[in-house]
């Protein structure tokens, strides 16, 4: 994103652009930030803030920096480089469009601060409070004020302070996209009452403004904004239709300086289980600031604590013990939040932090307080900062960890950074980090997957990430795979593989893949650390055997499907037209070519197909395939002709047919109009090549046809002149209305055309077309092959997004729906998840904190799940859901983590199995199932005879299979009740099969 051209490189910035919007991106391109302090926290902020920046620092690289600053290398320490000189080129390499400068001038009590006037935001880290106050007062006094952010990290405690001036206007406090809410009715009353369609929740709050559109009746209301519904009694009666949309209104926030805020601080509370914590940390950190200023050896004097917040003795003790240390995951988490505040300061997008944020990791160090002082003393290596917080023994445990991480995208890269700084999985300690990801690096990844650079594009994510991680910490043992984790790779990621692991991390978008990994962790009793982001929102979930519920214990509500009839004939919002266009792409350029190839692979000879059809045989898909063969284009001109006919069909004939079947005055049985909200009557579109949208549709559609039929074309063929010439010869058949029934039932499903029986007329037509193709030498090996496309959203040169955007916009025009621009269309059609690096860094830091607790085998109370939205901002830490136990009967119960074990032998029968379960666990199964195969169900005919069969014969295990997990159920306590579920029963085929 270059400031001079103001053009946004969508191939690089699209995910961030979806979060921030174009206005904010343009403001970022014209702004600059001063960032002081290149320690762990400073480099996190510098890494995450895509704005022109001056990096400031006066210190030299030390060994200690290797454990907190991921851009400092061992050679920087040996050559005694200044920290800012070491990190500046590496920060600059992250973003080619952002200017990165550096400064090592003194910044102290005597510095003339006028140089700061050229910056829009100043961020201070590793800066004494007295100097922070001085710089803050200077920034606050400027006109316009320079936005100020102060950040500090001392061991287990971190803080962020924001002051954006006396009045700071925010254009969009939440960043949420307003939804169109359709209206059922409006009363003619005072006040008027609006009822939403299908009892849809409106989500409005008192004082918000909405705009009403397309309301029939109450004409005085069209496009008028209201703060409240007000008096409607004097308006014309409401007739039908209409919808309303929330109008975003700017909000002004007021800030005070550090000096004014110290005694009466506004704080954000992240953990409601300890609401007093922010003020306690505020007091403790101010006391630490005072100690640093005064260097008092025998106590802490804090004259500034003029508010009533009793000091927490445990917190003060832990803070004072760890203050010289660094917890890299904690700095990552708060660095993400601070960077988001910097973006708010520059753009005025999202609600700013008011004004302090405090976070502690006391749960990490609380169990370590009884350790000897020797555990925490420096040893002169990169882990001294970490060791000061968690001790030598815990550091060694981290070094020995064997971790499996699935996914090397944005969260995966951030997790690997945390692993490198924590020393997770060191070679000399027999530890290992195994990572897998089948994807290749794309340009759009570079904006938030910080281990990747432009020269890595089209290289595997996993191997590239492994190499970049070893650059940060060469001692890490990283094993990179290119596999998906799914049932097909269970031979690679087997139970034996899981048995060697200490924990598993998922860094995936795909919910089904996460559910699968979770099921493998549960069956193998392994902890799982899961997380995800969407825009500025993030969540973490910690899953610990026998302590918490699992990922599969809860289900998100299913995505609401758009009814088939809505997509096909009655769209009402832009999402409907975009999905329609995406479906057209899939059907014409993916599904049909794939079906075509599959048919001719099954039936290799057209002559044989003809003979079988002539004898009356029905071949699935033959009608559709022969139709494609008979209409197959061989030249570019024919592709243009096909595109023109598609335009006529989609945007003119469809509208004419709907209006023929349902004229505008059509009424339903109850007398109400058929064409009323949310149904919109279509208006036929006459083709006009001078309309750029029409031209884009024709060219992009023709290119896609050329692609699936392997027809070459040149750039000259795409010109308006060439296309106009071709179109002048394309005949357009006259429209004749059909009497075919149009589906109007929302519950109706899309019919499978392959399974609809052919009429005799269609059969005759197929035979005739195939005869003609054979007779005219139209059947060649080449003509029996097509090239299916794969929708690729991030390649702007292939015409895929052009087709969907133009088709969707034309359909929207036909139905008088507000169109979407290319960027929004691409997001919805490509199912792109908006993403920003600030949220990714924060979520990975929070997960890595929990990793330390899992490694230490901490109690349930120590663990924290988190949900945050950096836009608002809100951070909520909660305890995980405790594991539930299900009662079978009496005192027999189980949880998701339990499985019963039975050891058999070669002659072990099903009857032996049933008896052994009863003897060992006190209850006899009534049903035994293996996968989808019912081994024993008493009511099934012949199943009683199976009791004498061996388990080996019933299950037929593959060679080398040591055990199987069987699903069993037990008799209910009362007759007529359903059978009771039980835990999986792991049946070992021999004693030798047990995992050591």
């Amino acid at each position: 994103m270059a400031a001079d051209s103001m053009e946004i490189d969508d191939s690089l910035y699209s995910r961030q652009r979806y979060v921030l919007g174009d206005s904010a991106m343009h403001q970022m391109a014209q702004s600059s930030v001063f960032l002081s302090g290149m320690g762990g926290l400073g480099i996190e902020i510098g890494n995450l803030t895509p704005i022109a920046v001056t990096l400031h620092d006066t210190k030299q690289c030390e060994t200690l920096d290797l454990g907190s600053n991921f851009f400092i290398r061992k050679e920087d320490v040996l050559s005694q480089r200044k920290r800012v000189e070491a990190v500046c080129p590496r920060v600059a390499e992250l973003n080619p469009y952002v200017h990165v400068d550096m400064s090592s001038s003194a910044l102290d009590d005597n510095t003339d601060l006028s140089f700061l006037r050229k910056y829009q935001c100043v961020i201070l880290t590793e800066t004494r409070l007295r100097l922070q106050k001085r710089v803050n007062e200077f920034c606050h006094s400027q006109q316009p004020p320079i936005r100020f952010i102060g950040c500090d990290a001392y061991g287990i405690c971190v803080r962020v302070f924001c002051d954006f001036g006396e009045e700071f206007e925010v254009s969009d406090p939440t960043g949420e996209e307003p939804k169109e809410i359709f209206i059922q009715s409006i009363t003619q009353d005072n006040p008027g009452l609006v009822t939403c369609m299908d009892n849809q929740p409106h989500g409005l709050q008192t004082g918000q403004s909405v705009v009403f559109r397309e309301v029939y009746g109450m004409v005085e209301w069209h496009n008028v904004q209201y703060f409240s519904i007000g008096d409607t009694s004097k308006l014309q009666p409401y007739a039908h239709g209409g919808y309303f949309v929330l109008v975003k209104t700017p909000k002004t926030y007021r800030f005070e300086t550090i000096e004014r805020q110290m005694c009466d601080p506004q704080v954000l509370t992240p953990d409601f289980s300890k609401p007093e914590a922010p003020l306690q940390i505020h007091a403790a950190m101010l006391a630490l600031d005072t100690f640093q200023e005064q260097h008092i050896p025998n106590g802490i004097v804090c004259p500034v604590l003029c508010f009533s917040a009793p000091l927490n003795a445990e917190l003060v003790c832990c803070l004072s013990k760890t203050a010289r240390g660094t917890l890299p995951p904690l700095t990552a988490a708060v660095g993400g939040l601070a960077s988001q505040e910097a973006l708010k300061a520059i753009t005025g997008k999202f609600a700013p932090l008011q004004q302090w944020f405090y976070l502690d990791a006391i749960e990490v160090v609380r169990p370590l307080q009884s350790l000897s002082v020797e555990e925490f003393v420096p040893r002169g290596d990169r882990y001294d900062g970490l060791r000061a917080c968690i001790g030598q023994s815990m550091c060694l445990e981290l070094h020995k960890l064997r971790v499996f991480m699935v996914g090397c995208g944005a969260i995966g890269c951030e997790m690997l950074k945390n692993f490198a700084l924590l020393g997770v999985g060191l070679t000399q300690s027999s530890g290992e980090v195994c990572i897998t990801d089948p994807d290749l690096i794309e340009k759009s990844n570079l904006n938030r997957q910080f281990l990747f650079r432009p020269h890595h594009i089209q290289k595997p994510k996993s191997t590239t990430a492994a190499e970049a991680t070893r650059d940060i910490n060469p001692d890490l043992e990283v094993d990179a795979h290119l596999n998906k984790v799914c049932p097909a790779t269970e031979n690679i990621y087997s139970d034996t593989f899981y048995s060697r692991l200490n924990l598993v991390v998922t860094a995936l978008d795909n919910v089904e893949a996460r559910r699968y990994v979770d099921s493998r962790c549960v069956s193998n009793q392994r902890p799982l650390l899961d997380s995800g982001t969407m825009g500025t929102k993030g969540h973490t979930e910690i899953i610990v055997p026998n302590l918490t519920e699992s990922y599969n214990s809860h289900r998100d509500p299913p995505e609401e499907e758009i009814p088939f009839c809505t997509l096909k004939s009655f769209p009402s919002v832009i999402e409907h037209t975009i999905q329609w266009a995406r479906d057209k792409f899939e059907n014409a350029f993916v599904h049909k070519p794939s079906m075509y190839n599959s048919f001719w692979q099954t039936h290799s000879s057209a002559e044989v197909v003809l003979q079988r059809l002539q004898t009356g045989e029905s071949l699935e898909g033959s009608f559709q395939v022969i139709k494609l063969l008979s209409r197959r284009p061989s030249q570019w001109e024919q592709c243009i002709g096909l595109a023109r006919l598609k335009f006529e069909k989609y945007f003119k004939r469809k509208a004419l047919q709907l209006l023929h079947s349902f004229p505008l005055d059509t009424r339903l049985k109850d007398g109400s109009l058929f064409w009323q909200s949310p149904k919109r009557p279509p208006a036929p579109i006459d083709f006009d090549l001078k309309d750029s949208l029409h031209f884009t549709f024709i060219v992009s559609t023709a290119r896609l046809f050329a692609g699936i039929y392997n027809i070459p074309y040149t750039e000259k063929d795409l010109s308006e002149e060439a296309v106009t010439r071709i179109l002048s010869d394309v005949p357009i058949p006259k429209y004749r209305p059909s009497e075919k029934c149009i589906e109007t039932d929302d519950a109706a499903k899309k019919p499978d055309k392959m399974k609809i029986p052919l009429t005799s007329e269609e059969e005759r037509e197929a035979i005739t077309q195939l005869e003609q193709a054979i007779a005219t030498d139209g059947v060649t090996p080449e003509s029996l092959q097509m090239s299916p496309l794969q929708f690729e959203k991030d390649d702007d040169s292939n015409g895929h997004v052009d087709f969907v955007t133009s088709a969707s916009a034309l359909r929207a025009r036909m139905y008088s729906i507000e169109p979407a621009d290319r960027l929004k269309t691409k997001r919805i059609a490509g199912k792109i998840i908006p993403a920003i690096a600030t949220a990714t860094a924060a979520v990975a830091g929070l997960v890595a904190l929990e990793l330390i607790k899992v490694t230490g085998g901490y109690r349930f109370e120590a663990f924290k799940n988190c949900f945050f939205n950096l836009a608002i901002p809100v951070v909520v830490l909660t305890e995980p859901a405790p594991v539930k136990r299900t009662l079978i009967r009496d005192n027999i119960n189980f949880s998701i983590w339990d499985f019963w074990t039975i050891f058999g032998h070669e002659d072990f029968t099903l009857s032996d199995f049933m008896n052994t379960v009863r003897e060992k666990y006190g209850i006899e199964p009534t049903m035994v199932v293996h996968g989808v195969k019912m081994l024993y169900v008493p009511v099934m005919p012949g199943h009683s005879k199976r009791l004498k069969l061996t388990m080996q014969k019933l299950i037929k295990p593959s060679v080398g299979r040591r055990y199987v997990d069987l699903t069993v159920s037990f008799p209910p306590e009362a007759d007529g009740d359903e059978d009771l579920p039980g835990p999986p029963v792991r049946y070992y085929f021999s004693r030798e099969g047990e995992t050591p």
Side-chain angles (χ1 to χ4, degrees):
M1 181 176 60
D4 51 354
S5 68
M6 297 301 291
E7 288 183 9
I8 298 171
D9 185 347
D10 196 46
S11 61
L12 179 64
Y13 288 112
S14 62
R15 276 54 170 182
Q16 177 179 295
R17 195 175 173 189
Y18 290 129
V19 178
L20 297 175
D22 287 1
S23 175
M25 296 282 284
H26 287 144
Q27 283 173 291
M28 288 158 56
Q30 300 174 76
S31 304
S32 58
V33 171
F34 180 81
L35 171 60
S36 180
M38 290 295 103
L41 183 51
I43 202 62
E44 281 287 354
I45 297 169
N47 176 43
L48 298 170
T49 309
I51 303 171
V53 62
T54 297
L55 304 178
H56 170 263
D57 193 90
T58 58
K59 297 178 181 176
Q60 282 190 334
C61 296
E62 299 178 357
T63 301
L64 187 69
D65 292 316
L66 298 174
S68 59
N69 188 319
F70 44 84
F71 278 155
I72 290 179
R73 304 288 179 258
K74 196 170 183 180
E75 55 268 26
D76 299 324
V77 177
L78 295 174
S79 61
Q80 296 185 319
R81 290 181 78 185
K82 287 186 175 180
R83 293 198 304 187
V84 71
E85 292 173 355
V87 303
C88 186
R90 290 166 187 146
V91 172
E93 190 185 28
L94 281 171
N95 198 326
Y97 293 107
V98 170
H99 179 71
V100 180
D101 204 354
M102 65 177 172
S103 167
S104 54
S105 303
L107 179 61
D108 54 33
D109 295 341
N110 301 313
T111 303
D112 179 358
L113 298 180
S114 59
F115 77 95
L116 293 175
R117 290 195 179 104
K118 65 180 179 181
Y119 300 102
Q120 284 71 47
C121 181
V122 170
I123 308 171
L124 300 185
T125 70
E126 298 187 343
T127 305
R128 291 286 175 86
L129 185 62
R130 186 175 65 221
L131 182 55
Q132 285 192 46
K133 288 182 189 178
R134 179 172 178 249
V135 173
N136 176 213
E137 293 287 349
F138 174 84
C139 292
H140 193 92
S141 67
Q142 301 303 300
Q143 291 299 328
I146 302 167
R147 318 308 181 193
F148 174 84
I149 301 173
C151 306
D152 296 287
Y154 294 121
I156 63 158
C157 291
V158 289
R159 74 178 166 205
V160 179
F161 172 81
C162 293
D163 174 9
F164 296 167
E166 296 284 349
E167 292 186 350
F168 180 71
E169 185 173 276
V170 172
S171 60
D172 180 2
T174 67
E176 299 295 334
E177 191 172 340
K179 291 182 179 178
E180 295 177 357
I181 309 293
F182 285 93
I183 296 167
Q184 181 80 48
S185 64
I186 305 174
T187 63
Q188 197 175 14
D189 209 343
N190 185 13
L193 181 66
V194 178
T195 304
C196 302
M197 188 77 72
D198 300 324
N199 291 317
Q200 198 175 352
H202 55 69
L204 299 174
Q205 297 174 1
T206 301
Q208 287 183 319
S209 175
V210 298
V211 59
F212 288 89
R213 295 193 177 121
E214 300 181 16
V215 175
Y216 288 81
M218 295 192 170
V219 292
E220 299 90 343
W221 252 9
H222 291 197
N223 288 303
V224 176
Q225 295 181 23
Y226 281 87
F227 287 98
S228 63
I229 190 67
D231 184 357
T232 62
S233 60
K234 295 181 177 60
L235 302 180
Q236 291 184 21
Y238 171 79
H240 65 84
Y243 64 92
F244 62 85
V245 184
L246 175 68
V247 176
K248 296 267 185 178
T249 51
K251 185 175 179 181
T252 299
Y253 295 81
R254 303 183 188 284
F255 291 84
E256 294 180 327
T257 62
I258 294 176
E259 191 68 60
R260 292 179 66 88
Q261 271 281 306
M262 281 170 61
C263 293
D264 187 18
Q266 278 184 279
V267 296
L268 188 70
T269 302
D271 189 344
F272 289 97
S273 69
K274 45 182 188 181
E276 70 290 343
L279 287 180
Q280 291 176 344
I281 305 170
H282 182 73
M285 290 188 78
L286 289 181
L288 183 63
D289 292 320
T290 303
F291 176 78
Q292 284 186 304
E293 297 286 356
Q294 299 181 359
H295 298 286
I296 299 174
N298 298 317
I300 295 176
V301 176
C302 188
V304 297
L305 302 185
C306 51
F307 55 91
S308 56
L311 285 177
N312 180 323
E314 182 190 34
L315 178 70
V316 171
C317 178
C318 291
L319 173 61
S320 60
K321 283 183 177 179
T322 63
R324 63 183 172 80
T326 305
L327 267 179
L330 193 58
T331 57
V334 80
L337 183 139
S339 301
Q340 190 67 56
E341 293 307 309
L343 296 180
K344 295 174 188 179
I346 293 297
T347 65
K349 178 76 179 271
F350 306 139
L353 168 68
Q354 288 200 292
Q355 283 189 251
W356 303 85
F357 176 76
Y358 285 97
L359 188 64
D360 70 84
I362 195 167
E363 290 85 5
V364 172
V365 300
R366 182 177 283 141
L368 309 174
Q369 293 309 294
S370 60
L371 297 177
S372 66
V373 175
E374 286 72 30
E375 279 276 332
F376 303 93
V377 297
R379 298 178 180 227
D381 63 13
R382 66 165 64 224
Y383 304 111
D384 275 351
L386 178 64
R387 189 177 289 112
C389 295
I390 64 173
Q392 171 68 358
S393 297
M394 183 68 83
C395 286
L396 294 176
E397 290 301 312
L398 291 172
H399 300 341
K400 291 189 291 185
L401 279 183
R402 301 183 70 85
V403 178
F404 180 39
M405 187 172 76
V406 187
C408 297
I411 293 175
C413 286
E414 293 289 338
M415 287 304 303
L416 286 169
K417 172 196 74 182
N418 280 286
F419 292 166
L421 297 177
L422 291 171
V424 169
L426 300 190
T427 305
Q428 65 263 34
S429 302
S430 300
E432 182 184 76
V433 176
C434 177
I435 59 178
T436 188
D437 194 313
D439 291 344
L440 302 180
I441 297 163
E442 299 173 355
K443 188 177 180 181
S444 63
N445 300 147
L446 305 182
N447 180 239
R448 67 202 183 283
Q449 301 179 17
F450 94 106
L451 295 179
F452 306 142
R453 301 292 180 269
H455 61 272
H456 293 140
I457 291 172
Q458 288 306 299
K459 291 184 178 179
K461 284 187 176 181
S462 61
T463 53
T464 307
E467 188 179 336
T469 306
R470 285 189 289 264
D471 278 346
I472 300 172
N473 188 341
D475 298 331
L476 248 67
E477 181 68 28
V478 188
D479 182 21
H481 299 182
L482 306 177
N483 306 314
K484 281 186 177 179
V485 179
C486 59
T489 55
E490 245 175 66
N491 60 324
I492 302 170
Y493 306 116
S494 62
D495 293 334
T496 303
F497 171 83
Y498 277 90
S499 70
R500 295 197 296 263
L501 300 173
N502 298 107
L503 61 91
V504 178
V505 177
T506 43
L508 298 162
D509 291 332
N510 187 293
V511 171
E512 289 311 310
R514 286 154 83 174
R515 292 201 181 284
Y516 173 74
V517 174
D518 176 73
S519 68
R520 299 289 287 138
C521 288
V522 170
S523 67
N524 286 280
Q525 302 276 300
R526 290 294 174 266
L528 172 65
L529 306 180
D530 180 70
S531 59
T533 66
M534 178 177 283
T536 57
K537 298 170 187 166
H539 74 272
T540 66
E541 183 172 9
I542 314 308
I543 296 152
V544 184
N546 302 307
L547 293 183
T548 71
E549 290 288 88
S550 76
Y551 185 83
N552 281 302
S553 299
H554 53 82
R555 293 267 170 178
D556 294 330
E559 279 189 37
E560 206 172 302
E561 283 191 14
I562 305 170
F564 167 66
C565 71
T566 300
L567 279 180
K568 188 169 176 62
S569 304
F570 307 112
S572 57
V573 292
I574 194 63
E575 287 79 4
H576 297 163
T577 72
I578 294 171
Q579 186 59 54
W580 172 86
R582 182 75 167 82
D583 289 350
K584 289 298 177 192
F585 180 97
E586 287 296 314
N587 185 53
F589 308 116
V590 182
H591 171 68
K592 282 183 178 177
S594 300
M595 176 198 67
Y596 188 88
N597 289 346
S598 178
F599 182 89
W600 291 118
Q601 284 164 6
T602 307
H603 311 285
S604 55
S605 164
E607 288 77 10
V608 172
V609 169
L610 179 60
Q611 287 172 8
R612 293 173 69 176
L613 290 174
Q614 286 171 334
T615 60
E617 191 174 344
S618 178
L619 302 179
E620 188 175 294
S622 59
F623 178 70
Q624 290 86 352
V625 166
I626 293 168
K627 195 172 169 183
L628 286 169
L629 176 66
S630 67
R631 298 179 181 180
R632 183 182 182 113
S634 58
Q635 298 174 323
W636 169 249
E637 289 78 3
Q638 292 170 306
C639 295
I640 291 284
L642 277 176
R644 175 65 183 88
L645 293 174
K646 288 293 182 189
F647 184 100
E648 195 73 10
K649 177 183 176 182
Y650 293 159
F651 310 120
K652 187 170 185 179
R653 296 186 173 213
K654 178 67 178 179
L656 291 170
Q657 183 60 49
L658 275 166
L659 294 173
H660 170 78
S661 300
F662 306 105
L664 290 176
D665 58 357
T666 302
R667 292 190 177 271
L668 301 172
K669 289 178 182 177
D670 63 2
S672 60
L673 282 168
F674 177 85
W675 293 110
Q676 65 170 303
S677 182
K679 284 189 177 72
R680 297 167 175 269
I685 299 176
D686 290 319
F687 181 73
D688 178 7
L689 193 57
K690 291 186 175 61
D691 188 313
S692 61
L693 204 53
H694 296 205
F695 179 77
T696 301
F697 176 82
I698 294 294
V699 170
S700 60
T701 307
R703 289 180 65 198
L704 298 180
F705 277 126
I708 62 173
Y709 289 118
N710 303 309
I711 295 171
Y713 58 89
T714 65
E715 279 297 315
K716 189 177 178 183
D717 291 330
L718 305 178
S719 69
E720 187 175 343
E721 182 184 350
V723 172
T724 303
R725 177 180 51 78
I726 297 167
L727 286 176
S728 64
D729 296 328
V730 176
I732 306 299
K734 188 178 178 183
Y735 165 71
R736 288 187 177 83
S738 164
E739 299 309 319
K740 198 160 63 172
C741 179
I742 294 176
E743 184 63 71
T744 60
D745 183 2
D746 281 354
K749 299 295 181 186
K750 182 179 181 179
D752 186 345
K753 289 184 178 179
M754 299 280 283
K755 294 181 178 171
I756 298 174
L758 297 179
T759 63
S760 56
E761 185 182 338
E762 287 172 331
E763 288 175 351
R764 285 194 300 273
E765 186 183 345
I767 291 170
T768 302
Q769 288 175 341
L770 189 53
E771 285 173 338
Q772 287 175 348
I774 293 170
T776 56
D777 297 326
V779 180
T780 63
E782 293 77 23
S783 70
L784 301 184
Q785 275 287 320
M786 291 174 73
S787 299
L789 303 179
Q790 198 72 37
F791 185 73
E792 177 46 65
K793 57 189 177 289
D794 286 318
D795 181 356
D796 286 338
S797 66
N798 60 19
H800 296 191
V801 176
D802 288 339
F803 169 82
V804 174
T805 302
S806 58
S808 168
L810 283 163
R811 189 166 173 85
R813 185 183 293 181
M814 186 170 95
Y815 283 97
S816 301
I817 295 170
E818 190 77 26
D821 61 16
R822 178 188 174 87
L823 190 71
K824 181 176 178 178
T825 302
K826 176 177 166 179
R827 172 175 64 80
I828 295 171
K831 295 184 174 8
I832 294 173
I833 299 174
I836 192 164
T838 52
T840 308
V843 94
L846 292 166
V847 168
L849 278 177
E850 300 306 306
L851 177 143
I852 298 173
K853 300 174 191 176
V854 170
T855 303
Y858 286 13
R859 294 166 62 89
F860 173 81
E861 305 79 50
F863 295 104
K864 296 288 182 183
N865 287 347
C866 183
F867 168 80
F868 64 73
N869 185 349
L870 299 182
I872 300 177
V874 63
V875 180
V876 180
L877 295 162
T878 59
E879 280 190 351
V883 66
K884 296 173 186 170
R885 301 204 67 82
T886 301
L887 183 68
I888 302 176
R889 65 168 53 169
D890 301 329
N891 56 355
I892 304 172
N893 57 60
F894 68 96
S895 79
I896 56 166
W897 296 101
D898 292 327
F899 58 82
W900 295 350
T901 53
I902 300 294
F903 295 95
H905 49 74
E906 191 175 350
D907 300 323
F908 203 77
T909 65
L910 178 59
S911 179
D912 294 332
F913 173 82
M914 309 274 277
N915 291 333
T916 307
V917 171
R918 185 187 68 244
E919 291 166 9
K920 189 171 182 180
Y921 296 105
I923 190 166
E924 184 172 337
T926 53
M927 184 169 71
V928 183
V929 177
H930 176 225
V932 296
K933 182 182 178 184
M934 294 182 180
L935 299 184
Y936 178 71
V937 182
V939 297
M940 296 287 283
H943 273 221
S944 59
K945 296 178 183 177
R946 293 186 176 185
L947 292 169
K948 296 178 182 178
L949 297 177
T950 65
M951 297 292 282
Q952 198 90 13
K953 187 170 183 177
L954 279 168
I955 295 170
K956 299 183 177 65
S958 56
V959 177
R961 183 84 190 198
R962 297 181 298 112
Y963 68 83
V964 291
D965 285 338
L966 303 175
T967 302
V968 297
S969 57
F970 302 99
E973 293 194 60
D975 291 341
D977 289 352
E978 291 185 5
D979 283 1
L980 302 171
V985 177
R986 184 159 289 182
Y987 174 72
Y988 288 89
F989 294 101
S990 68
R991 270 280 170 191
E992 290 71 38
E994 186 178 5
T995 305

